[in-house]
Amino acid sequence: MSIAEETDPVSRSRDTAAIRRWLRGYALLSPALVVMIAMLALPVAALVLLSFWTQNGFELDRTPTLANYASLVTPSAEPTIWFGIPFYLSYPVPAILMIKSIIMSLTATVAVILLAYPMAYFLAFRVTRNKAMWIILITIPFWTSYLLRVFAWKIVLGFNGAINSGLKAIGIIDKPLEFLLYNPGAVTLTLAHSWVAFAILPIYVSLEKIDRSLLEAASDLGDSRLRRFLRVTLPLSAPGTIAAALLVFIPTVGDYVTPTLVGGPGGTMIGNLVQDLFLKQNNAPLGAAVAIVMMLIIALVVAIFLWAIGYGRIRARRQ
Amino acid sequence: MQRIKFIDKMYQGKLSRRQMMQAASAFGVGSLFLPRQARAAEVLTCLEWGGYDAPEYFQAYVDKYGAQPNFSIFAGEEDALAKVLAGFAGDVMHPCNYSVARFVNAGVTKEIDTSRLTHWPDIFPNLQTAEGVVWDGKVVMAPADWGNSSLAYRPDLMDDDFKADPTWEIFYDEKYAGRVSMSDNEIAITIGAMVGGMPYDEAYKLEGAALEAAAKEWGTKAVNVSKFLWTDSSEVQQAMASGEIIAAYAWNDLVANLRGQGIPVEFSTPKEGMFTWFCGLTLLNTGKADEQAAYDFIDAWLSPETGKTLIEGSGYGHANMKSFEIADPEALANMGITDPIEMMKHTIVFKTPSDAVQEGFNKVWADTKALKY
């Protein structure tokens, strides 16, 4: 004890300094932390809990069970055929919609990146004056509500919509095209347009950060413009592009507003099923189970994607 | 100075309860101590069908309270029920004869004391005791509006074969794919089974494997043939007005509205039958507003003036006999039958399925729609 007491003053002041630093860090973090716990962690925990209960008519049976999860994978001898693929499941709807949503979202993500990359490239390399104004111009779509942007597509693609009446006026068609609205294509198109603005900024930032002398060096060493782009610009802008892809893919898989408005029954996505289970079929526990499986599958898809493009190597190179 | 004096007095114990209360209420604290009735009344909250939130349907309530109640709009009764079960504090809900039992069974309704409704004696006597108005011996719904669900079509665009013999079959016939619109409702399966030759009395209570088979055959056809499944009546009215669709599952208001715009439209009687429904107002026990406000709102709905608006505006019938005396004779002539009981004799009245059957229908209908591609 006596030895400890002798060394106390020094170590105590060091300890208190560390604790104070630690507290200050958490104090700075606390507003975000409180919001994250209250608005994200607790609801997700509630969802997990709910998914282990079962709905019995109007009553909620609180005995913990895996029945909801089991019902998603219960096999059936008689297959449900969807697009020629047999699903040997007794409740195939969640599985089918999950696959369909991922395909639709991936298509939308690829379209978004293809649209956003040239715009970001132009912004980073060609625009020299009034950059701020260009960036503000790009954010203009954000000034209107998401719902309005989706609804606008309903008007553009509709039976008497802009495309149909335009083509009719020119005389290319004599009766309106019917395949424009209420199908997965319309949903994918609308998603791509609504999310493109979210993708431009991260790509732009990573393009802007590229050291221009690297590009000069590549040219001096004899690279053509295409090779220079493929070997220098593209790899160096990968972090922003990956961020943009994730930013678009993750929220669009679970989207339910867009399919509701422009999808019709054919454009249904997994989010619609979750909404229907919660609000129409009065089976919140099953809805919760579907939502959690959806989260896990999205996480898995993202992990596979990052592994496939070699994200580890990209990170290692940057360090 | 005022503040310091107040604190001094409080320390000295010279403050009267009244002064204390006054000060507290200035900060909104006082309301916690006041008796419940003395508080500013909560605004009435109603769960309503889209379109029924217009003040002309409850003018007497607006006149008395000087403001409209709050509305939450639903597309189908099951949506509204799920919302109430999830904790939505509604005072009044607008179900129909075939759906009110779901709310009663879920335990969210209150019995209606008909002596508190001044217009109750003028309601068609047969409606006062009809199933759905009375459930388990208690009045649970004050009947207000009634009408038909049938097949509306554009005679100028429809082919003559159909016009000679109208049938629900067109909603399940590939020949009409993309030119008709069914309602986004599980009734599509019931009607399909009827097209297949099953009487309504069996088709409305299909269960288990029989229901799944009907959904697979008729539900899938309905989903594939329909251009879109409509969820709000303005959507289907616009599509019908533009000629995008030539036939739809519809209520009387579609015919009234399109004819009002000068568009030719017929409300047919398909050979499988047309349907009759009557809807009304139910007291929910989840509400926070004063019960008297809820009764005033229901009473306003039962008034003959509301009936006149309903008859002239949308071609629906009303439960109050007096509304037919004051309505425009031309509108009455357009309606055809003006006695709900007479109407029910000639048509199929929607029936109340059991909770298990309704839940089964909800599930297969959602699954059928999800599997379309």
Side-chain angles (χ1 to χ4, degrees), chain A residues 204-226:
Chain A
Y204 162 75
V205 169
S206 66
L207 283 171
E208 183 70 19
K209 273 200 327 210
I210 295 175
D211 188 346
R212 300 299 193 268
S213 55
L214 294 176
L215 300 176
E216 282 169 25
S219 299
D220 290 347
L221 294 171
D223 265 356
S224 69
R225 294 176 70 154
L226 180 67

Side-chain angles (χ1 to χ4, degrees), chain A:
Chain A
M1 275 313 273
S2 66
I3 301 165
E5 267 165 27
E6 268 169 42
T7 55
D8 230 2
V10 181
S11 80
R12 197 195 293 155
S13 72
R14 207 191 300 138
D15 279 358
T16 41
I19 289 171
R20 209 179 293 149
R21 247 201 324 277
W22 182 82
L23 275 179
R24 205 186 300 139
Y26 270 90
L28 278 175
L29 205 62
S30 62
L33 210 58
V34 167
V35 169
M36 285 296 266
I37 290 172
M39 311 293 252
L40 189 71
L42 289 181
V44 169
L47 205 64
V48 171
L49 189 63
L50 187 62
S51 72
F52 291 113
W53 293 344
T54 40
Q55 189 81 35
N56 189 4
F58 294 121
E59 304 295 322
L60 205 55
D61 184 349
R62 290 192 162 79
T63 336
T65 163
L66 285 170
N68 292 317
Y69 292 100
S71 74
L72 300 180
V73 289
T74 310
S76 145
E78 197 192 337
T80 305
I81 310 286
W82 182 77
F83 261 114
I85 312 164
F87 284 83
Y88 290 92
L89 294 170
S90 61
Y91 183 38
V93 175
I96 290 173
L97 286 185
M98 193 69 233
I99 294 170
K100 186 173 165 190
S101 305
I102 288 178
I103 295 172
M104 283 164 73
S105 264
L106 280 178
T107 317
T109 308
V110 170
V112 163
I113 298 295
L114 289 181
L115 282 171
Y117 201 95
M119 275 194 257
Y121 189 91
F122 176 76
L123 207 59
F125 291 107
R126 292 287 176 272
V127 178
T128 48
R129 288 192 302 162
N130 300 329
K131 262 197 182 169
M133 189 198 72
W134 277 88
I135 290 171
I136 289 170
L137 281 180
I138 280 172
T139 61
I140 279 184
F142 287 121
W143 297 7
T144 57
S145 128
Y146 182 76
L147 207 57
L148 278 179
R149 269 177 280 155
V150 176
F151 219 86
W153 275 105
K154 201 170 172 165
I155 296 167
V156 171
L157 300 173
F159 183 79
N160 280 344
I163 293 181
N164 274 329
S165 35
L167 289 177
K168 236 158 76 174
I170 311 171
I172 295 178
I173 52 171
D174 35 272
K175 71 176 191 185
L177 303 172
E178 308 248 333
F179 59 83
L180 295 174
L181 200 54
Y182 303 123
N183 56 46
V187 178
T188 313
L189 177 69
T190 310
L191 284 177
H193 167 255
S194 310
W195 288 87
V196 81
F198 288 92
I200 293 174
L201 292 178
I203 301 178
Y204 162 75
V205 169
S206 66
L207 283 171
E208 183 70 19
K209 273 200 327 210
I210 295 175
D211 188 346
R212 300 299 193 268
S213 55
L214 294 176
L215 300 176
E216 282 169 25
S219 299
D220 290 347
L221 294 171
D223 265 356
S224 69
R225 294 176 70 154
L226 180 67
R227 275 180 71 84
R228 189 182 70 185
F229 173 77
L230 290 177
R231 292 180 58 185
V232 180
T233 315
L234 196 59
L236 285 178
S237 66
T241 314
I242 292 165
L246 297 183
L247 210 58
V248 176
F249 176 73
I250 295 171
T252 51
V253 178
D255 192 13
Y256 108 93
V257 177
T258 314
T260 305
L261 285 176
V262 299
T268 314
M269 290 172 80
I270 189 87
N272 301 86
L273 177 70
V274 174
Q275 189 256 359
D276 201 89
L277 283 170
F278 268 92
L279 292 183
K280 184 105 196 263
Q281 299 189 40
N282 192 27
N283 194 347
L286 186 57
V290 172
I292 284 168
V293 171
M294 177 179 98
M295 272 192 260
L296 294 177
I297 292 179
I298 292 174
L300 188 71
V301 170
V302 168
I304 292 173
F305 168 70
L306 291 179
W307 170 79
I309 57 165
Y311 188 62
R313 268 184 294 126
I314 294 171
R315 276 189 62 166
R317 195 163 56 218
R318 276 167 72 204
Q319 274 160 7

Side-chain angles (χ1 to χ4, degrees), chain B residues 38-353:
Chain B
R39 271 200 246 166
E42 285 269 358
V43 181
L44 190 73
T45 303
C46 307
L47 285 142
E48 256 306 354
W49 298 89
Y52 274 174
D53 51 342
E56 64 254 33
Y57 293 119
F58 43 87
Q59 196 57 51
Y61 177 91
V62 179
D63 293 344
K64 180 167 174 185
Y65 290 86
Q68 291 193 33
N70 290 335
F71 283 106
S72 163
I73 302 300
F74 60 82
E77 292 100 325
E78 290 295 312
D79 300 2
L81 178 59
K83 195 165 181 176
V84 172
L85 287 175
F88 183 78
D91 295 288
V92 179
M93 151 74 197
H94 198 143
C96 297
N97 61 315
Y98 54 87
S99 57
V100 66
R102 293 274 292 158
F103 289 80
V104 179
N105 295 346
V108 296
T109 58
K110 273 194 288 197
E111 187 179 359
I112 295 173
D113 178 2
T114 55
S115 66
R116 290 175 74 175
L117 299 169
T118 58
H119 295 297
W120 185 261
D122 301 328
I123 302 289
F124 283 99
N126 285 323
L127 276 185
Q128 289 182 8
T129 55
E131 184 187 85
V133 172
V134 179
W135 194 257
D136 288 340
K138 291 174 182 160
V139 176
V140 292
M141 178 175 91
D145 49 327
W146 56 268
N148 303 107
S149 290
S150 195
L151 194 164
Y153 68 93
R154 289 275 302 264
D156 51 333
L157 302 173
M158 183 56 89
D159 41 68
D160 294 329
D161 292 352
F162 172 84
K163 281 193 266 189
D165 183 20
T167 164
W168 287 107
E169 213 179 318
I170 59 168
F171 291 107
Y172 309 91
D173 187 348
E174 274 299 316
K175 209 176 92 185
Y176 292 92
R179 294 158 70 206
V180 295
S181 175
M182 193 62 194
S183 163
D184 183 359
N185 190 297
E186 54 284 356
I187 189 78
I189 299 171
T190 313
I191 297 177
M194 288 164 67
V195 169
M198 192 183 280
Y200 175 76
D201 285 348
E202 287 173 36
Y204 88 97
K205 54 181 182 191
L206 283 172
E207 257 183 302
L211 174 60
E212 267 174 37
K216 206 162 193 173
E217 180 174 8
W218 300 105
T220 308
K221 280 184 186 162
V223 168
N224 287 335
V225 169
S226 278
K227 169 91 182 173
F228 58 89
L229 299 165
W230 65 267
T231 50
D232 75 291
S233 49
S234 66
E235 182 185 18
V236 68
Q237 287 175 18
Q238 283 167 16
M240 196 120 172
S242 70
E244 181 176 7
I245 54 165
I246 57 174
Y249 174 95
W251 303 318
N252 314 59
D253 66 328
L254 177 137
V255 181
N257 286 346
L258 289 194
R259 282 195 184 144
Q261 294 173 38
I263 293 159
V265 60
E266 287 296 331
F267 206 38
S268 68
T269 307
K271 65 181 174 198
E272 297 86 2
M274 84 186 319
F275 299 96
T276 300
W277 44 262
F278 57 95
C279 303
L281 294 129
T282 291
L283 280 177
L284 298 178
N285 61 16
T286 58
K288 292 195 187 115
D290 185 16
E291 200 177 55
Q292 187 54 44
Y295 272 101
D296 285 332
F297 181 76
I298 296 178
D299 210 27
W301 254 99
L302 301 188
S303 72
E305 291 75 24
T306 299
K308 179 178 152 76
T309 310
L310 212 54
I311 292 164
E312 290 170 6
S314 50
Y316 289 139
H318 192 247
N320 192 321
M321 293 179 282
K322 284 191 181 156
S323 43
F324 293 90
E325 292 163 16
I326 59 170
D328 179 20
E330 200 187 332
L332 288 176
N334 271 341
M335 266 186 78
I337 304 170
T338 57
D339 178 350
I341 305 309
E342 196 59 29
M343 175 64 90
M344 287 176 200
K345 280 184 198 152
H346 296 284
T347 56
I348 300 167
V349 183
F350 280 129
K351 286 196 176 145
T352 310

